[in-house]
């Protein structure tokens, strides 16, 4: 009674919203349970600790994002068009978030990396796996574009890592200035970082 | 007695070390005073609140970094050499930090941006001023390089912002993987982002 899987979902949803708003360290289990509308006993029925909850939140968030990225990056369009659409959808998601809650909350993975990666090894490892998976997905598309002679970059893994780094850095600025305009240059920068052989490269930074 | 400016310095030094290690939210005033070896009364003599302390820590950290950046960026070398040295010294600083404390602590400004910018407006504003100043310093050097015909970028402000974003993104990875190798590609990426007309651009991402 009460300890249904519904309660687990409520805790996860409340925790994700609170972590996006205020980070992890400042949160207490009591506050999460209050926001979720479940008794504190339920929490420890489903999660061994606050850290176990954070891992579950990361897994759930990544599962949703991974499936979005896979859909975008695996369709039939040309490789660079798919990569561009990944940026466009990421920007659209951040803009929608800002409209609904008033602030750019940024990237949960980047936020928790800077807040926690030096404090808990299980969270550091999970975040490494997530970013490795992101880089791998981007690398695959860059490799396809290179096979078509559209990009000249040598080390596709390093280029993919740089693109994800650029994304994280610009999302940091979008959050800091609460302004998604900082995402406008992402695609131009991405083309520069993979040395794309296309007319649009001329537009980089202009 | 005890409330000397020495106590203020001790509090600032302890707070900076603790914030780099564990972030801001997880810290308490009592813990900071214990690490500083000063009584709690001293804290409130010098700082109105934990937030006021965080602002003082940011100011002190930026004052030191700003003076380093100014020294590097204003010397007599060619503009792109100065910019390259800025990256090299940043990397050397992160490597030295890792050697002395075992982990890459990352960039305090980036860390606090992702942890706090949506939570306290005074800290958000201070961090905006700091990043604006960084971008302005980098932009000036890019402008000089453009006057010499060494870079082709159109919007120097946007390019400078992208370079600082790239730096923050790669420092995030260096922290996440506790590995400064992630900083190796910074200079090549910087050249790509400013569309430098130099032989080294061929090495980007290779």
């Amino acid at each position: 009674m009460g300890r249904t899987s519904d309660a687990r979902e409520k805790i996860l949803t409340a925790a994700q919203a609170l972590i996006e708003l205020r980070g992890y360290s400042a949160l207490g289990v009591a506050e999460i349970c209050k926001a979720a509308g479940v008794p504190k006993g339920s929490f420890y029925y489903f999660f061994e600790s606050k850290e176990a909850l954070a891992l579950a939140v990361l897994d759930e968030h990544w599962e949703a994002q991974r499936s979005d990225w896979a859909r975008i990056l695996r369709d039939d369009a040309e490789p660079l068009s798919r990569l561009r659409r990944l940026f466009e959808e990421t920007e659209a998601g951040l803009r929608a978030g800002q409209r609904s809650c008033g602030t750019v909350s940024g990237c949960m993975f980047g936020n928790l990396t800077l807040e926690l990666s030096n404090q808990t090894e299980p969270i550091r490892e999970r975040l490494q796996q997530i970013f490795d998976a992101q880089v791998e997905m981007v690398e695959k598309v860059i490799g396809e574009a290179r096979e078509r002679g559209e990009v000249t970059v040598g080390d596709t893994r390093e280029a993919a890592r740089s693109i994800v780094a650029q994304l994280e850095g610009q999302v940091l600025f979008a959050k800091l200035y609460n302004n998604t305009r900082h995402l406008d240059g992402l695609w131009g920068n991405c083309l520069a970082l993979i040395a794309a052989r296309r007319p649009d490269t001329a537009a980089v930074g202009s």
Side-chain angles (χ1 to χ4, degrees), chain A:
Chain A
M1 221 173 76
R3 288 182 176 174
T4 62
S5 62
D6 182 45
R8 186 177 185 277
E9 264 318 302
K10 282 182 182 166
I11 294 169
L12 279 172
T13 306
Q16 175 163 338
L18 285 168
I19 287 173
E20 291 216 320
L21 209 63
R22 310 221 333 260
Y24 170 86
S25 306
L27 287 183
V29 167
E31 183 183 6
I32 295 166
C33 291
K34 196 178 165 196
V38 302
K40 209 167 165 181
S42 290
F43 183 93
Y44 290 105
Y45 179 78
F46 294 111
F47 303 100
E48 205 174 89
S49 61
K50 199 177 119 187
E51 182 181 284
L53 168 69
L55 290 170
V57 167
L58 283 174
D59 286 344
E60 183 147 292
H61 192 61
W62 172 234
E63 191 42 51
Q65 193 183 99
R66 197 199 55 74
S67 123
D68 283 343
W69 281 38
R71 172 182 50 77
I72 297 165
L73 294 178
R74 279 188 204 142
D75 80 7
D76 289 338
E78 293 179 10
L80 290 182
S81 304
R82 283 178 261 153
L83 201 52
R84 180 170 202 158
R85 204 143 71 75
L86 180 68
F87 284 107
E88 287 169 353
E89 293 212 12
T90 302
E91 291 166 39
L94 285 162
R95 289 195 173 102
Q98 189 192 29
R99 274 195 304 275
S100 74
C101 76
T103 53
V104 176
S105 60
C107 165
M108 178 192 275
F109 305 131
N111 294 344
L112 291 183
T113 292
L114 293 198
E115 188 186 348
L116 291 182
S117 63
N118 279 351
Q119 289 176 64
T120 121
E121 283 307 312
I123 289 179
R124 186 203 289 269
E125 277 167 30
R126 195 66 53 98
L127 286 164
Q128 286 177 354
Q129 289 158 6
I130 291 168
F131 277 113
D132 283 347
Q134 289 190 352
V135 168
E136 203 172 307
M137 290 171 95
V138 171
E139 185 192 3
K140 198 167 165 296
V141 186
I142 298 174
E144 289 177 51
R146 193 173 61 175
E147 276 173 27
R148 295 160 57 102
E150 289 169 357
V151 306
T152 59
V153 74
D155 184 335
T156 51
R157 167 58 58 118
E158 202 48 56
R161 178 78 63 189
S162 298
I163 285 171
V164 178
Q166 177 70 25
L167 182 61
E168 287 298 321
Q170 298 283 14
V171 168
L172 178 148
F173 283 138
K175 178 172 178 172
L176 175 62
Y177 296 89
N178 195 24
N179 189 338
T180 55
R181 191 186 59 74
H182 288 283
L183 309 169
D184 292 348
L186 271 176
W187 178 241
N189 287 339
C190 173
L191 289 175
L193 290 169
I194 56 180
R197 285 186 173 147
R198 304 193 99 194
D200 359 11
T201 47
V204 172
S206 67

